[in-house]
């Protein structure tokens, strides 16, 4: 079955440090790839997406992610984490445009002052 | 347009009761999706529509769950004879196939079955 794995359910970094929630997917066929952020009791907001083209994609709020086909990975990076980045981050994949999303279990990012 | 709207935001119901949730997608979006999210987990796909046609239902969706999108605009998700295990956040999303690939999510309806 197709699946998404987010290693590390919790990541804690100091303010200003690098934050890297990780994401791997299980398929030899490159999917559409997404990162969403969720604040408590809220819906999901799209941070960034990869469809085709350049493998390094930039999103909102200074986040970026790199698609590595050989590693079936799409790790998220925030070079300098801010307190306001504390939230739950979900990696998701779809194997068709507009198709259903398969989500990872999420990574809770904590940012210490 | 203010985005995907879900009502109610919170619902507390007694076990065995029926509940219905409503989702209003972004107006020009032709696809509408329902997901369920339990505490500490990622959202799980339940079903989706293209216009008024229900194209796919998850095997997770028991016979007690039914979804409709009668005129290809808003959608309802009904749960009959609720069980405590139905307690979750129910998320709706919409997208415009052919225009973009991402789904836009509503704020969800949190269901508590007591």
């Amino acid at each position: 079955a197709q699946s998404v794995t987010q290693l590390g359910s919790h990541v804690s970094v100091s303010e200003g440090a690098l934050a890297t929630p990780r994401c791997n997917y299980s398929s030899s066929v490159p999917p559409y790839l997404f990162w969403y952020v969720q604040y408590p009791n809220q819906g999901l907001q799209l941070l960034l997406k990869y469809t085709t083209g350049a493998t390094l994609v930039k999103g909102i709020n200074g986040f970026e992610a790199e698609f590595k086909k050989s590693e079936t990975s799409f790790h998220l990076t925030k070079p300098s984490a801010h307190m306001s980045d504390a939230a739950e981050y979900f990696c998701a994949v779809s194997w068709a445009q507009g198709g259903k999303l398969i989500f990872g279990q999420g990574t809770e990012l904590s940012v210490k002052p | 347009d203010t985005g995907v709207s879900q009502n109610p935001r919170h619902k507390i119901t007694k076990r065995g009761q029926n509940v219905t949730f409503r989702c209003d997608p972004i107006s020009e979006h032709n696809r509408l999706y329902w997901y369920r999210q339990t505490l500490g987990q990622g959202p799980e796909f339940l079903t989706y529509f293209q216009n008024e046609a229900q194209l796919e239902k998850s095997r997770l969706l028991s016979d007690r769950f039914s979804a409709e999108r009668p005129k290809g605009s808003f959608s309802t998700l009904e749960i009959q004879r609720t069980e405590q295990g139905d307690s979750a956040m129910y998320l709706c999303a919409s997208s415009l196939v052919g225009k973009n690939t991402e789904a836009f999510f509503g704020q969800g309806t949190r269901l508590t079955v007591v």
Side-chain angles (χ1 to χ4, degrees):
Chain A
Q2 296 159 339
S3 65
V4 178
T5 301
Q6 291 185 239
L7 283 177
S9 59
H10 193 107
V11 171
S12 183
V13 300
S14 298
E15 192 168 23
L18 174 70
T20 56
R22 300 171 68 83
C23 175
N24 288 85
Y25 61 91
S26 65
S27 174
S28 58
V29 177
Y32 298 102
L33 296 154
F34 307 85
W35 275 99
Y36 284 88
V37 60
Q38 186 177 38
Y39 296 97
N41 295 312
Q42 298 292 316
L44 284 77
Q45 180 184 8
L46 182 70
L47 278 178
L48 49 78
K49 65 179 180 180
Y50 171 80
T51 54
T52 59
T55 56
L56 180 64
V57 293
K58 296 185 184 298
I60 62 171
N61 301 336
F63 283 90
E64 57 186 41
E66 185 172 12
F67 168 55
K68 292 187 176 181
K69 183 179 176 182
S70 61
E71 298 177 8
T72 61
S73 70
F74 190 56
H75 302 323
L76 183 68
T77 301
K78 178 72 184 281
S80 177
H82 191 269
M83 298 290 287
S84 61
D85 295 325
E88 189 89 20
Y89 291 82
F90 292 97
C91 179
V93 303
S94 175
W95 276 273
Q97 187 187 62
K100 66 184 179 186
L101 293 170
I102 308 296
F103 284 88
Q105 291 199 311
T107 297
E108 184 182 356
L109 176 64
S110 301
V111 182
K112 300 173 291 187
Chain B
D1 197 329
T2 55
V4 178
S5 176
Q6 291 189 247
N7 287 288
R9 289 293 311 279
H10 303 273
K11 178 71 177 178
I12 299 174
T13 191
K14 291 184 178 179
R15 191 171 45 189
Q17 297 294 304
N18 299 344
V19 294
T20 300
F21 310 139
R22 177 178 170 126
C23 172
D24 288 89
I26 293 172
S27 59
E28 69 270 22
H29 283 188
N30 50 13
R31 283 209 175 165
L32 186 149
Y33 314 79
W34 286 99
Y35 292 84
R36 177 172 63 191
Q37 184 180 24
T38 53
L39 208 60
Q41 301 295 316
E44 294 176 303
F45 170 77
L46 294 178
T47 188
Y48 84 93
F49 295 82
Q50 177 149 325
N51 300 313
E52 65 274 12
Q54 189 172 19
L55 295 187
E56 186 175 350
K57 288 171 60 173
S58 167
R59 278 173 267 178
L60 297 173
L61 211 61
S62 80
D63 292 343
R64 296 184 297 104
F65 286 70
S66 63
E68 293 183 340
R69 194 183 183 197
K71 296 182 180 178
S73 56
F74 73 91
S75 175
T76 58
L77 177 68
E78 182 183 17
I79 308 174
Q80 295 182 327
R81 305 180 302 282
T82 52
E83 301 172 357
Q84 285 191 318
D86 297 331
S87 295
M89 175 80 90
Y90 290 83
L91 294 165
C92 177
S94 69
S95 70
L96 180 60
V97 177
K99 179 77 171 179
N100 51 42
T101 52
E102 68 264 34
F104 295 83
F105 282 80
Q107 293 196 311
T109 294
R110 180 167 293 286
L111 173 66
T112 303
V113 181
V114 297

